[in-house]
């Protein structure tokens, strides 16, 4: 890879000058802004956008997907499925090595899946009742077989998040009290990904560096180093751009920040559609949003146009899933409407009417300017129709902690959620099934047997036409029950330095941030 000027922090360059070295002239290094902390890099525990951003660069799975959402080979060069869809056999690519140079083999896939199921965090809930210890076996060093316990139509679409861990290295660092080496994997990258963990200052920054032996190879304009800067301070992001240090912003900046950076000579703003929705997740199992009338009142008291056109650019959203899976999308659901008179009627029809102002909390990520604006907008409308609205800004890690218990999950929660695998199931099981409750993605606490049954039926239906009809009925039910407020589908914006090219949006959480696919094109 050729040597170009780094987009690193001024402090690094200053240190280089003091030492009399040329460290400010390095390989293709970039600086990327993230607004949320990296809570973990353990592939058995990751579950949000920053954690998947790390995972997709540090680890590899059997498959990946392209910008159209089609599953593509990665560690597996091919696969077959039995006629009943219960047995899946994957043939591994030859010559793949982990970042310590050891070969990746079928035993590593088996151990990694068993580890995920045993730890039972992160994406493990997707495989409940589908895989268990012994379901995945090593046929030979290059062949691994999955024996599903029940028909699971989305199975192949979930394989890109089954990241593979170096089992020998992990087991060398395990103990009787920590048989799955959780302490070790929490602080070290032990995968076969394109990048290796170099440093990590929790809550502030993370640096990853290219693994020279990566099986897909490198070119002169490939990225050698990525430094993530964790901040939601708009002034800091603008200052990084003004100094030329910022290579890529997050997609959660204020509109004014994008406008400011876009006006700089060396930057461009890319705008692209996504499959990520922005919701008010309403706690269906805690007062006052346990009453459907209150949930409908909140929906009617939401000024969708102002949010979507002024505060946070996005596309209209009629239900829990955007039309990315067109055949499973019901086109007979009307767009939500802002109508304060109607909202007032539903408040008066609720079990909480006539008791004075109804206390209601709105939780959002502290420091995100647009979420604070939306909170203030909602307070201005809700307080006129009988509510006492309490704004509750919290750090993201605190929000995820509160989401783990129905009693601590506030009534209204501002949350983005996008596809974590390319199947309609990702919008329904993850957010609304009772077995998936207790995460930031399922703050609705729906706990509804009828909804659970429809999700289970769709998962077990291999006939795609029948499956899509189930999904349509399911969406109508979720909208009728007003399980949440469906605000918009995000139209993402990101600021890029003109030298960083090759960004392609992928319909799977953070998979577009695979830095091996990007290039630094300036000399």
């Amino acid at each position: 890879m050729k040597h170009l000027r780094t987009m690193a922090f001024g402090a690094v360059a200053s240190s280089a000058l003091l030492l009399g070295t040329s460290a400010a002239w390095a390989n293709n290094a970039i600086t990327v802004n993230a607004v949320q902390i990296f809570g973990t890099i353990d592939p058995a525990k990751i579950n949000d956008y920053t954690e998947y951003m790390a995972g997709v660069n540090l680890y590899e799975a059997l498959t990946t997907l392209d910008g159209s959402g089609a599953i593509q080979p990665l560690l597996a060069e091919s696969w077959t499925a039995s006629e009943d869809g219960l047995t899946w056999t994957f043939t591994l690519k030859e010559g793949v090595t982990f970042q310590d140079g050891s070969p990746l083999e079928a035993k590593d896939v088996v151990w990694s899946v068993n580890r995920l199921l045993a730890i039972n965090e992160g994406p493990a809930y997707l495989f409940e009742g589908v895989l268990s210890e012994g379901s995945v076996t090593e046929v030979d060093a290059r062949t691994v077989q999955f024996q599903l316990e029940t028909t699971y139509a989305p199975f192949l679409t979930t394989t890109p998040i089954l990241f593979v861990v170096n089992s020998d290295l992990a087991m060398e660092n395990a103990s009787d009290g920590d048989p799955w080496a959780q302490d070790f994997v929490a602080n070290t990258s032990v995968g076969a990904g394109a990048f290796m963990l170099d440093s990590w200052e929790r809550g502030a920054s993370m640096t990853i560096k290219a693994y020279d032996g990566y099986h897909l190879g490198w070119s002169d304009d490939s990225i050698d180093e990525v430094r993530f800067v964790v901040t939601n301070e708009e002034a800091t992001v603008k200052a990084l751009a003004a100094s030329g240090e910022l290579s890529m912003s997050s997609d959660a900046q204020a509109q004014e920040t994008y406008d400011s950076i876009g006006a700089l000579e060396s930057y461009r703003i890319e705008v692209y559609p996504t499959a990520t929705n922005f919701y008010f997740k309403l706690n269906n199992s805690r007062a006052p949003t346990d009453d459907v009338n209150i949930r409908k009142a909140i929906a009617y008291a939401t000024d969708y146009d102002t949010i979507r056109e002024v505060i946070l650019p996005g596309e209209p959203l009629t239900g829990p899933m955007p039309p990315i899976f067109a055949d499973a999308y019901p086109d007979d659901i009307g767009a939500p409407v802002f109508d304060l008179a109607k909202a007032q009627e539903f408040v008066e029809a609720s079990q909480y009417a006539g008791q004075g102002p109804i206390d209601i909390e709105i939780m959002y990520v502290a420091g995100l300017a647009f979420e604070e604006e939306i909170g203030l907008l909602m307070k201005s409308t809700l307080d006129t129709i009988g509510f006492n609205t309490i704004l509750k800004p919290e750090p993201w890690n605190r929000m995820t902690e509160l989401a783990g218990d129905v009693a601590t999950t506030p009534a209204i929660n501002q949350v983005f959620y996008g596809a974590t695998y390319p199947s309609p199931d990702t919008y329904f099981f993850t957010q609304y099934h009772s077995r998936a409750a207790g995460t930031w993605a399922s703050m609705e606490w729906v706990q509804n047997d009828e909804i659970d049954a429809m999700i289970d039926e769709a998962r077990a239906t291999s006939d795609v036409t029948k499956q899509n009809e189930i999904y349509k009925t399911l969406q109508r039910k979720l909208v009728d029950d007003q399980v949440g407020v469906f605000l918009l589908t995000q139209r993402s914006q990101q600021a890029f330095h003109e030298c960083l090219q090759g960004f392609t949006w992928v319909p799977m959480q953070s998979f577009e941030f695979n830095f091996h696919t990007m290039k630094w094109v300036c000399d």
Side-chain angles (χ1 to χ4, degrees), residues 96-118:
V96 178
T97 61
F98 288 110
Q99 292 161 353
D100 66 349
S102 62
L104 184 148
E105 299 177 334
K107 67 177 183 179
D108 299 299
V109 180
V110 174
W111 193 84
S112 299
V113 175
N114 286 337
R115 180 178 187 272
L116 172 67
L117 298 175

Side-chain angles (χ1 to χ4, degrees), residues 21 30 59 110 268 278 292 338 349 372 444:
T21 70
I30 65 173
Y59 290 90
V110 174
R268 70 186 188 277
F278 188 51
V292 67
F338 175 44
E372 181 180 11
E444 292 86 353

Side-chain angles (χ1 to χ4, degrees), residues 73-300:
L74 191 55
L75 294 179
E77 65 179 19
S78 62
W79 54 85
T80 60
S82 61
E83 189 173 341
D84 61 7
L86 295 177
T87 305
W88 291 79
T89 305
F90 294 84
T91 301
L92 301 182
K93 179 182 176 181
E94 286 190 276
V96 178
T97 61
F98 288 110
Q99 292 161 353
D100 66 349
S102 62
L104 184 148
E105 299 177 334
K107 67 177 183 179
D108 299 299
V109 180
V110 174
W111 193 84
S112 299
V113 175
N114 286 337
R115 180 178 187 272
L116 172 67
L117 298 175
I119 293 174
N120 196 32
E121 295 183 32
Y125 67 91
L126 295 174
F127 305 100
E128 182 183 344
V130 177
L131 296 174
S132 58
E133 185 177 1
S135 294
V136 187
T137 54
E138 174 190 2
V139 177
D140 57 46
R142 287 188 55 218
T143 311
V144 62
Q145 189 170 90
F146 289 71
Q147 185 64 47
L148 309 190
E149 297 175 359
T150 187
T151 301
Y152 180 32
F155 173 69
L156 186 63
T157 68
T158 66
T159 54
I161 55 179
L162 287 175
F163 293 125
V164 179
V165 172
N166 183 335
S167 61
D168 288 340
L169 181 58
M171 287 189 288
E172 287 173 11
N173 290 275
S175 65
D176 290 343
D178 183 15
W180 297 107
Q182 294 182 62
D183 290 342
F184 179 69
V185 178
N187 298 289
T188 313
S189 58
V190 288
F195 292 86
M196 307 168 62
L197 181 66
D198 182 63
S199 64
W200 183 11
E201 184 181 350
R202 281 167 171 76
S205 66
M206 176 186 288
T207 301
I208 59 177
K209 291 188 175 180
Y211 166 47
D212 287 340
Y214 181 55
H215 67 101
L216 293 182
W218 300 95
S219 62
D220 284 348
D221 54 6
S222 293
I223 306 301
D224 295 281
E225 179 179 321
V226 182
R227 181 169 187 181
F228 298 103
V229 179
V230 181
T231 179
N232 54 24
E233 292 290 337
E234 303 292 343
T236 301
V237 178
K238 287 188 282 189
L240 286 170
S243 67
E245 296 173 356
L246 183 71
S247 306
M248 185 177 84
S249 78
S250 79
D251 61 355
Q253 310 301 148
Q255 185 60 47
E256 190 273 332
T257 298
Y258 293 121
D259 294 342
S260 176
I261 297 176
L264 298 174
E265 184 176 351
S266 298
Y267 287 88
R268 70 186 188 277
I269 305 298
E270 292 198 9
V271 181
Y272 52 93
T274 74
T276 297
N277 297 331
F278 188 51
Y279 304 91
F280 290 152
K281 288 181 171 289
L282 307 180
N283 188 338
N284 287 218
S285 298
R286 179 185 173 189
T289 43
D290 57 344
D291 188 324
V292 67
N293 291 297
I294 293 294
R295 299 197 298 271
K296 287 184 180 292
I298 294 166
Y300 275 110

Side-chain angles (χ1 to χ4, degrees), residues 291-513:
D291 188 324
V292 67
N293 291 297
I294 293 294
R295 299 197 298 271
K296 287 184 180 292
I298 294 166
Y300 275 110
T302 300
D303 187 348
Y304 301 92
D305 289 345
T306 298
I307 292 172
R308 196 170 56 234
E309 296 172 11
V310 178
I311 302 176
L312 180 64
E315 304 299 327
L317 181 66
T318 61
M321 187 181 80
I324 186 171
F325 301 107
D327 292 338
Y329 181 79
D331 56 12
D332 56 356
I333 298 177
V337 174
F338 175 44
D339 185 335
L340 276 179
K342 196 78 170 172
Q344 182 76 66
E345 291 177 12
F346 278 108
V347 172
E348 292 170 358
S350 76
Q351 62 182 301
Y352 300 104
Q355 302 175 24
I358 303 166
D359 287 345
I360 195 161
E361 287 186 325
I362 301 179
M363 185 164 68
Y364 60 91
V365 178
L368 283 187
F370 70 88
E371 291 198 357
E372 181 180 11
E373 287 183 54
I374 291 170
L376 290 168
L377 176 65
M378 289 303 298
K379 179 175 174 59
S380 72
T381 58
L382 291 175
D383 285 0
T384 67
I385 57 170
F387 290 95
N388 174 39
T389 308
I390 304 159
L391 300 184
K392 187 178 176 65
E394 295 282 0
W396 176 248
N397 59 322
R398 176 59 176 162
M399 287 181 66
T400 62
E401 180 184 341
L402 293 172
D405 189 322
V406 66
T408 57
T409 304
I412 306 174
N413 307 277
Q414 294 188 43
V415 175
F416 287 97
Y417 177 80
T420 54
Y421 47 101
S423 164
D425 183 69
T426 190
Y427 290 98
F428 306 120
F429 185 86
T430 305
Q431 297 191 96
Y432 306 118
H433 200 289
S434 297
R435 295 203 305 273
T439 75
W440 63 268
S442 58
M443 288 185 181
E444 292 86 353
W445 292 95
V446 172
Q447 307 292 286
N448 184 295
D449 290 343
E450 183 181 354
I451 288 171
D452 289 348
M454 281 190 274
I455 295 170
D456 289 337
E457 183 183 4
R459 293 181 125 208
T461 301
S462 55
D463 184 315
V464 175
T465 300
K466 292 181 180 178
Q467 184 187 71
N468 286 336
E469 289 305 312
I470 298 168
Y471 284 135
K472 290 177 182 179
T473 302
L474 171 60
Q475 288 167 87
R476 296 182 187 107
K477 170 68 173 171
L478 292 166
V479 171
D480 286 345
D481 288 355
Q482 199 71 61
V483 297
V485 178
F486 314 110
L487 292 167
L488 56 86
T489 297
Q490 186 180 16
R491 186 166 64 243
S492 276
Q493 299 182 81
Q494 283 182 271
F496 290 86
H497 193 280
E498 63 182 1
C499 296
L500 185 61
Q501 300 289 335
F503 175 84
T504 302
W505 177 74
V506 176
M508 190 162 178
Q509 182 169 244
S510 295
F511 272 59
E512 63 265 36
F513 302 123

